[in-house]
């Protein structure tokens, strides 16, 4: 076809090897009838470049609150693809590793459309459920079509993620340093040109480093004075700032070879404390309130907590796609508490000051202590206490027999000095926040004057016993009376003297 033979070891070597076997070329191993060990299943098991693939956990836990997918073996925040909420699928939150081709689905599944060879790698899933947290991982291998019939697997790196430039550390923080180095530079590199762009734009060139003469790098227009070249075509940046975030490209020149590769560098900051707005909330029961977490743009994750416990989305708790706003619907008394948001990135995390939420309600009812009826003699002190469950605390008024006493406060105290103070005492508890009022009453009685010394039990009283005694006449008063023996305990009968008045006395 007019072209010379491919260079040994060049990029087409594997293609020619596959073409040489034609009908006997290797195909991906067929899927087994029983699933292999692991908790994530691929469908199809051998995805091809340009097709789609679904990654789904085999046996997800019950009542999953969130499904967090990562393009790494563990839950690295900077490699998060998305977080899918089964109870609110429209509130999917995307991460830094999202390419625009990934979507979440029922059963905590991850769907990737138009897969490429660079999608090959390890994917992990963290499933959060009440009292349960499950981590699972799977190796996704994307196959490339060769000569329209044979499939060749994409190379899989055992440890390093896809890409040709490695960052060290992988998540540099503001003020620290970072090195960018090609993973497999070609042999006998003559020059390494670094650019602060995705292309070899000369106006964005940082420096050109010559491995054979390392002391003579040539700086470019984008050099800040903090960049140096190193062995292996590495670029070292000292004292990185947020403005250093961006795409860096490297052009390596070798005899008969020219390689261009690029990498995205993201610089992270130590996150300042976020704030929650409003910083305090007063909301009536059964209404709705929203809180917003204001944080640095460098925050990669946001988590909401109430009284120190994490909150997940539910039918009444709704999170915005970026978790920045929390909305609580149909507020109940149990929703009251101290709310906080916690933000994190690859190098730090921080939590806001508590934002108190108070739910106003009641009073549903009221009562008076002690309960009645109350029976007290005159001169006794009387203290009544009105109790009503209400937020905010209610105001109180007291009435006696329907007449306002002018007394306020939850307690009412007086001394019973007159029977006019007896009757029905009523307390009124009013919540100005909810405009609800509750009443309670108690009966107070004062015994009459004829029962001052003794209060008879509530039973039928016997008729008073009358004792009749005749006083002796004055004519018999003279002379000493002969001594008499002691009075016989039996009844005594004395003769009534004529024309003398009788005296009756009632014993009390």
């Amino acid at each position: 076809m007019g072209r010379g033979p491919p260079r040994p070891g060049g990029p087409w070597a594997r293609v020619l090897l596959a073409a040489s076997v034609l009908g006997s070329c290797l195909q991906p191993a067929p899927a087994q009838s029983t699933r292999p060990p692991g908790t994530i299943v691929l469908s199809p098991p051998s995805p091809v470049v340009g097709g789609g693939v679904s990654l789904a956990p085999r046996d997800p836990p019950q009542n999953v609150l969130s499904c967090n997918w990562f393009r790494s073996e563990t839950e690295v925040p900077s490699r998060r693809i998305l977080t899918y909420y089964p109870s609110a699928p429209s509130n999917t939150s995307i991460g830094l590793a999202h390419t625009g081709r990934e979507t979440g689905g029922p059963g905590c599944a991850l769907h990737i459309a138009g897969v490429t060879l660079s999608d090959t790698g390890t994917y992990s899933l963290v499933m959060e459920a009440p009292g349960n947290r499950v981590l699972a991982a799977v190796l996704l291998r994307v196959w490339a079509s060769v000569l329209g019939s044979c499939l060749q697997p994409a190379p899989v790196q055992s440890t390093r993620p896809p890409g040709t430039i490695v960052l060290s550390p992988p998540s540099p923080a503001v003020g620290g340093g970072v090195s960018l180095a090609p993973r497999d530079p070609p042999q006998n590199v003559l020059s390494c040109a670094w650019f602060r762009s995705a292309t070899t734009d000369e106006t964005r060139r940082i420096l050109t480093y010559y491995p054979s003469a390392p002391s003579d790098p040539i700086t470019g227009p984008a050099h800040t004075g903090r960049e140096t070249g190193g062995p292996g075509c590495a670029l070292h940046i000292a004292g990185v700032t947020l403005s250093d975030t961006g795409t860096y490209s490297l052009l390596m020149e070798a005899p008969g070879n020219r390689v261009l590769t690029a990498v995205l560098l993201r610089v992270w900051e130590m996150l300042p404390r976020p704030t929650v707005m409003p910083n305090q909330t007063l909301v009536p029961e059964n209404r709705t309130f929203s809180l917003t977490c204001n944080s640095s743009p460098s925050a990669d994750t946001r988590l909401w907590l109430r009284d120190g416990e994490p909150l997940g989305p539910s039918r009444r708790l709704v999170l915005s796609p970026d978790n920045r706003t929390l909305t609580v619907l149909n507020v109940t008394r149990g929703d009251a508490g101290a709310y906080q948001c916690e933000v994190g990135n690859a190098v730090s995390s921080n939590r806001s000051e508590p934002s108190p939420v108070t739910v106003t309600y009641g009073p549903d009812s009221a009562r008076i202590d002690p309960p009645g009826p109350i029976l007290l003699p005159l001169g006794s002190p009387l203290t009544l206490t009105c109790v009503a469950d209400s937020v905010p605390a209610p105001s109180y008024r007291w009435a006696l027999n329907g007449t306002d006493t002018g007394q306020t406060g939850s307690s009412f105290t007086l001394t019973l000095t007159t029977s006019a103070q007896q009757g029905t005492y009523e307390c009124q508890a009013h919540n100005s926040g909810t405009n609800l009022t509750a009443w309670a009453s108690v009966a107070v009685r004062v015994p009459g004057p004829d029962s001052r010394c003794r209060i008879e039990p509530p039973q039928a009283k016997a008729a008073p016993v009358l004792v009749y005694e005749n006083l002796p006449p004055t004519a018999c008063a003279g002379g000493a009376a002969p001594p008499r023996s002691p009075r016989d305990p039996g009844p005594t009968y004395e003769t009534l003297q004529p024309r003398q008045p009788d005296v009756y006395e009632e014993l009390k």
Side-chain angles (χ1 to χ4, degrees):
M1 297 179 62
R3 296 182 181 176
R7 178 172 44 85
W12 289 99
R14 293 180 182 176
V15 176
L16 293 178
L17 175 61
S20 67
V21 295
L22 292 177
S24 62
C25 61
L26 297 177
Q27 300 287 340
Q32 302 295 323
S33 58
T34 58
R35 291 172 177 169
T39 57
I40 296 179
V41 178
L42 303 179
S43 180
S46 303
V48 179
V49 169
V53 64
S54 294
L55 296 74
R58 177 180 301 167
D59 297 305
Q62 297 295 318
N63 303 320
V64 175
L65 299 177
S66 63
C67 315
N68 305 275
W69 280 98
F70 300 86
R71 199 182 300 272
S72 58
E73 296 180 3
T74 58
E75 49 180 321
V76 179
S78 63
R79 302 296 295 166
R80 185 173 67 90
I81 303 171
L82 58 81
T83 300
Y84 175 79
Y85 303 101
S87 61
S90 61
N91 288 335
T92 300
S93 172
I94 63 174
L96 292 177
H98 191 270
T99 68
R101 297 178 291 112
E102 300 89 355
T103 56
C108 277
L110 175 68
H111 308 295
I112 307 176
V115 293
T116 66
L117 293 180
S118 62
D119 290 322
T120 293
T122 301
Y123 290 71
S124 61
L125 166 64
V126 177
M127 293 173 282
E128 302 275 0
N132 196 7
R133 194 170 191 269
V134 178
L135 172 64
V138 67
L139 173 63
L140 169 64
R141 186 190 295 269
V142 179
W143 297 75
S145 175
V146 178
L147 298 181
S149 58
C150 298
L151 298 177
Q152 184 176 347
V156 178
Q157 302 298 327
S158 59
T159 55
R160 293 173 179 171
T164 57
I165 294 180
V166 178
L167 303 179
S168 181
S171 302
V174 169
V178 64
S179 295
L180 296 76
R183 177 177 302 166
D184 300 305
Q187 298 295 319
N188 303 320
V189 174
L190 299 178
S191 65
C192 315
W194 280 97
F195 301 84
R196 198 183 298 271
S197 64
T199 61
T200 57
D201 181 359
E202 180 60 27
T203 63
R204 302 295 296 162
R205 185 173 61 87
I206 302 171
L207 56 80
T208 301
Y209 177 82
Y210 301 98
S212 60
S215 61
D216 296 322
I218 299 177
T219 60
H223 190 270
T224 67
R226 297 178 289 113
E227 300 90 354
T228 56
C233 276
L235 175 69
H236 308 294
I237 307 176
V240 293
T241 66
L242 292 179
S243 62
D244 290 324
T245 295
T247 300
Y248 290 70
S249 60
L250 167 63
L251 176 62
M252 294 174 283
E253 300 275 2
N257 197 5
R258 192 170 189 263
V259 178
L260 176 65
T261 186
V263 67
L264 173 63
L265 168 65
R266 180 169 183 181
V267 178
W268 303 84
E269 68 171 335
M270 301 299 292
L271 292 173
R273 171 168 285 177
T275 59
V276 173
M277 295 299 294
N279 57 9
Q280 60 180 358
T281 303
L282 188 67
V283 56
E285 192 174 22
N286 299 320
R287 299 290 183 86
T288 296
F289 73 87
S290 294
L291 300 175
T292 300
C293 180
N294 295 320
S295 61
S296 166
S298 294
D300 183 47
T301 59
R302 292 181 181 86
L303 173 68
W304 285 96
L305 307 98
R306 181 180 64 227
D307 297 332
E309 295 296 325
L311 293 175
S314 66
R315 288 185 303 173
R316 294 194 304 105
L317 273 64
V318 180
L319 293 171
S320 62
D322 58 0
N323 283 13
R324 186 169 179 263
T325 301
L326 169 69
T327 300
V328 182
L329 310 173
N330 301 321
V331 172
T332 68
R333 299 175 190 185
D335 292 324
Y339 285 73
Q340 295 172 281
C341 76
E342 182 176 288
V343 296
N345 62 18
V347 297
S348 67
S349 64
N350 213 331
R351 186 176 293 186
S352 71
E353 292 286 350
S355 175
V357 172
T358 302
V359 178
T360 61
Y361 63 88
D364 299 325
S365 61
R367 76 173 191 275
I368 293 178
D369 289 336
I374 300 173
L375 193 62
L376 291 174
L378 291 174
S380 300
L382 173 65
T383 298
L384 302 175
T385 301
C386 191
V387 179
D389 185 16
S390 173
V391 174
S395 59
Y396 299 92
R397 295 196 69 84
W398 292 87
L400 172 59
N401 297 327
T403 301
D404 191 348
T405 65
Q407 297 294 317
T408 59
S410 60
S411 293
F412 182 82
T413 301
L414 77 161
T415 300
L416 296 171
T417 58
T418 173
S419 60
Q421 293 172 305
Q422 69 179 345
T424 300
Y425 284 81
E426 181 183 71
C427 91
Q428 172 187 290
H430 177 73
N431 185 339
S432 59
T434 63
N435 203 31
L436 296 177
T437 303
W439 292 266
S441 62
V442 65
V444 177
R445 296 289 180 265
V446 177
D450 59 345
S451 302
R452 182 174 303 174
C453 297
R454 183 177 64 193
I455 298 176
E456 295 291 344
Q459 62 185 20
K461 298 182 180 179
V465 178
L466 301 180
V467 177
Y468 302 92
E469 182 178 359
N470 185 57
L471 298 177
T474 56
C476 299
R484 295 186 295 178
S485 59
R487 181 183 295 270
D488 183 39
T492 301
Y493 303 92
E494 295 184 2
T495 304
L496 293 176
Q497 300 299 322
R499 311 179 76 88
Q500 295 296 324
D502 293 327
V503 176
Y504 304 85
E505 181 177 354
E506 177 183 358
L507 296 180
K508 296 192 170 33

